[in-house]
Amino acid sequence: MSSYILGLSCYYHDSAAALIKDGEIIAAAQEERFSRKKHDSSFPKNAIYYCLKSQGITLSDIKEIVYYEKPLLTFERLLETYLGAAPRGGRSFIAAMQVWLKEKLFLKTELQKNLKEVQASFESEINVIPNLLFSEHHLSHASAAFYPSPFEESIVLCMDGVGEWATTSAWIGKGKSIKPLWEISFPHSLGLLYSSFTYYCGFKVNSGEYKLMGLAPYGEPKYVDKIKKHLIDIKEDGTFRLDISYFKYHRGFRMTGRKFHELFGKQPRKSETELTQFHMDLAASIQAVTEEVVLKLAKSLRQETGIKNICLAGGVALNCVANGKLLLEKIFDNIWIQPASGDAGSALGAALVGWHQHHQQERITNTNDSMKGTYLGPEFSNEEITKYLHRISAPYHTHVDVDLFELLAEELEKGHVIGWFNGPMEFGPRSLGGRSILGDPRNQKMQSLMNLKIKFRESFRPFAPSVLEEDVSNQFEMSTKSPYMLLVAPVKKELCIQMTEEQDKLFGIEKLNIRRSSLPAITHVDYSARVQTVSSTTNPRYYKLIDAFKRKTGCPTIVNTSFNVRGEPIVCTPQDAYRCFMRTEMDILVLQNQILFKGEQPKVEKDEKWMQEFALD
């Protein structure tokens, strides 16, 4: 009889559920994809329902459920922190306690109540709720990074905002065991330092960090010395300590305090107001400091242990620019990064802790990795899709794969933008050819078209390339696989166009419209790109589409951005995809083997009220 373990993460941000069967990763999804509320933190009832339904089982078939952290330890940290800061932070303390007393302090009871509701939805006569176990926050991160990795032995480095107490931790994974090396505790946090600058530059914390990273190449790192002199003391081994008097995240509703604002001579930028060179320079500076810490930690871990592999997890591991620098420095022979390295991925880590540590089950190492390309979410058959299209009277054409890919390659070459809905949905924050919007990277107008008319987002934000795995070194200065779009690399020198002396003198956003390579839509202002390599075994249909584009144009790369608009979670169902297609200026929608042209769809009156449905991120 198969042994199922369900992992859960919820009640902070990015709720998720993940299911493993006899140690094999079977299904995983974030709750936001079903609830359509970005970073949804509520109990992941829809994600759990999907995981169970995908296997034709109910909760009574689950051996154990593992929650991703220990809430009482987090509560202890909150109490100690507020007591240490008292009498300051009173209002924030009262607000936090209200939430804790309502649901988090009695989390086991709350989870059991919600799980009973999920079981009732299956209308099963058996209403037994499985045993509940609790992992630790950073152990769940480390588990999600090491167990699915292709390594028999590895260093595991976890960096995030905060778990129970740990903010940065190092581990050694070997076989089925993960042993702790050391940790840095709250309030000294690299993740919260980066989030403080995210907040100060007017972006949303826990959401806008990647915007700050995208903004950094427009600036000069002129505030690095000031940051290191006043905010963070970085030791030679990479460990660090913050001067907490500049921050308020430990005792208030804001991330930064008056002293921080005085240090940089300005109040925090208000959301949606003008971004200036000052903000770009700040972004460049905190990015440089983050990279310094990551590289120093990596060097000291390699020297101390001699281990040649490293796995990364935690929100900071989504900083693909820092990851790219780590790759470039060749401190470790091999790097593997959990594609859902934020808290959503901890649901998977918690389930794997249950299997390998609680039940002491052996680990089977997959030399590629065990994430199945992270295509672990819901999928829809052609039959389900055509049934839906008939119901809404949407005109469509059906093509077999080989004809479909040839046709799409032609449409991409014409400069058309395609919504691509293919196979299982991705688990994690990146679209990887399951739920993607695609375009021609050679088209000079593609970046602004996609940003302003399709994604409705800031013009400075770059797009990522998907490249055939065997062509990566022809297009970029890297030869490593990057299946999860978590490594940044320079565009190949031969493809780059050097700026003239006059263009080189331009500042910030002024550089945006300068053609910098023969792939302008995916080349950032610093000639870098966030690369996804596509293999024929992990996602064969996506691979064949790019291959058809290569045969037609000679270019093995296409633009790949997430299938959503700003503030909206990535689409999950054909209904979500069709709605997004009709609300934007996308030209074509592909739902498995069905192709829909915008010009053939029923005319609808332009109504932009839907934009209020998604809060800007």
Side-chain angles (χ1 to χ4, degrees), residues 17 31 34 42-51 114 117-118 121:
E31 183 68 7
F34 306 95
S42 63
F43 179 78
K45 60 181 180 183
N46 295 294
I48 295 172
Y49 187 79
Y50 152 68
C51 287
N114 282 301
E117 287 178 14
V118 171
S121 68

Side-chain angles (χ1 to χ4, degrees), residues 56-265:
I57 60 174
T58 73
L59 277 178
S60 59
D61 299 301
I62 299 289
K63 191 179 183 71
E64 255 119 19
I65 296 175
V66 189
Y67 188 69
Y68 79 123
E69 66 175 14
K70 293 189 171 170
L72 289 180
L73 286 177
T74 307
F75 188 64
E76 174 194 87
R77 187 247 302 160
L78 273 176
L79 283 182
E80 281 197 25
T81 306
Y82 277 115
L83 283 173
R88 293 173 298 178
R91 282 195 309 127
S92 167
F93 176 74
I94 291 167
M97 286 307 106
Q98 284 173 344
V99 176
W100 273 87
L101 292 173
K102 188 180 171 190
E103 58 183 20
K104 291 186 179 176
L105 199 55
F106 310 103
L107 194 117
K108 190 169 183 180
T109 308
E110 185 71 17
L111 287 172
Q112 286 170 329
K113 185 186 84 179
N114 282 301
L115 288 165
K116 280 179 185 169
E117 287 178 14
V118 171
Q119 180 67 353
S121 68
F122 283 97
E123 298 179 354
S124 165
E125 290 180 0
I126 307 170
N127 286 313
V128 178
I129 300 300
N131 188 29
L132 264 172
L133 303 173
F134 292 82
S135 177
E136 287 188 14
H137 191 103
H138 268 229
L139 175 60
S140 297
H141 274 315
S143 166
F146 175 64
Y147 289 128
S149 79
F151 311 137
E152 182 58 29
E153 182 185 41
S154 178
I155 289 294
V156 186
L157 180 59
C158 304
M159 299 167 287
D160 67 356
V162 60
E164 291 91 355
W165 276 102
T167 66
T168 302
S169 62
W171 312 69
I172 291 180
K174 187 172 183 179
K176 66 181 178 189
S177 83
I178 298 179
K179 291 184 178 171
L181 280 176
W182 51 257
E183 69 176 46
I184 297 172
S185 296
F186 184 85
H188 308 288
S189 165
L190 186 61
L192 290 174
L193 175 68
Y194 203 90
S195 291
S196 295
F197 279 88
T198 303
Y199 164 85
Y200 186 65
C201 288
F203 303 120
K204 257 190 186 174
V205 171
N206 289 330
S207 167
E209 282 76 5
Y210 60 97
K211 294 187 189 179
L212 196 67
M213 185 178 70
L215 194 63
Y218 293 98
E220 297 292 330
K222 56 174 66 167
Y223 297 106
V224 166
D225 290 343
K226 190 175 267 193
I227 292 171
K228 286 165 65 175
K229 183 177 178 186
H230 296 278
L231 301 183
I232 181 169
D233 176 22
I234 306 170
K235 306 296 184 194
E236 205 42 48
D237 63 0
T239 56
F240 56 86
R241 191 171 177 81
L242 303 187
D243 183 340
I244 212 66
S245 65
Y246 287 89
F247 302 92
K248 287 193 84 171
Y249 57 73
H250 58 300
R251 60 176 176 85
F253 297 106
R254 295 180 294 157
M255 297 297 290
T256 54
R258 185 168 48 86
K259 208 171 161 184
F260 188 105
H261 310 156
E262 286 172 356
L263 180 66
F264 293 105

Side-chain angles (χ1 to χ4, degrees), residues 464-562:
S466 291
V467 60
L468 298 179
E469 190 175 276
E470 62 272 23
D471 281 309
V472 64
S473 57
N474 302 325
Q475 302 274 289
F476 305 98
E477 300 288 349
M478 72 184 293
S479 52
T480 310
K481 291 180 193 174
S482 177
Y484 303 121
M485 208 185 270
L486 286 169
L487 294 170
V488 161
V491 173
K492 195 83 178 169
K493 268 184 189 159
E494 293 83 337
L495 304 179
C496 291
I497 302 166
Q498 289 308 312
M499 284 190 275
T500 63
E501 206 170 303
E502 198 174 319
Q503 289 168 338
D504 211 24
K505 288 177 187 165
L506 294 173
F507 285 99
I509 299 287
E510 292 171 339
K511 290 180 181 173
L512 192 62
N513 294 323
I514 307 297
R515 188 180 174 91
R516 290 172 298 279
S517 81
S518 57
L519 303 171
I522 57 89
T523 305
H524 206 6
V525 289
D526 59 352
Y527 292 93
S528 70
R530 182 160 46 91
V531 180
Q532 180 202 1
T533 55
V534 180
S535 89
S536 57
T537 50
T538 314
N539 192 340
R541 293 187 86 239
Y542 191 40
Y543 178 93
K544 285 175 185 170
L545 167 60
I546 303 172
D547 192 47
F549 184 69
K550 179 188 174 184
R551 277 186 275 108
K552 184 151 197 64
T553 64
C555 177
T557 300
I558 59 174
V559 179
N560 173 13
T561 185
S562 54

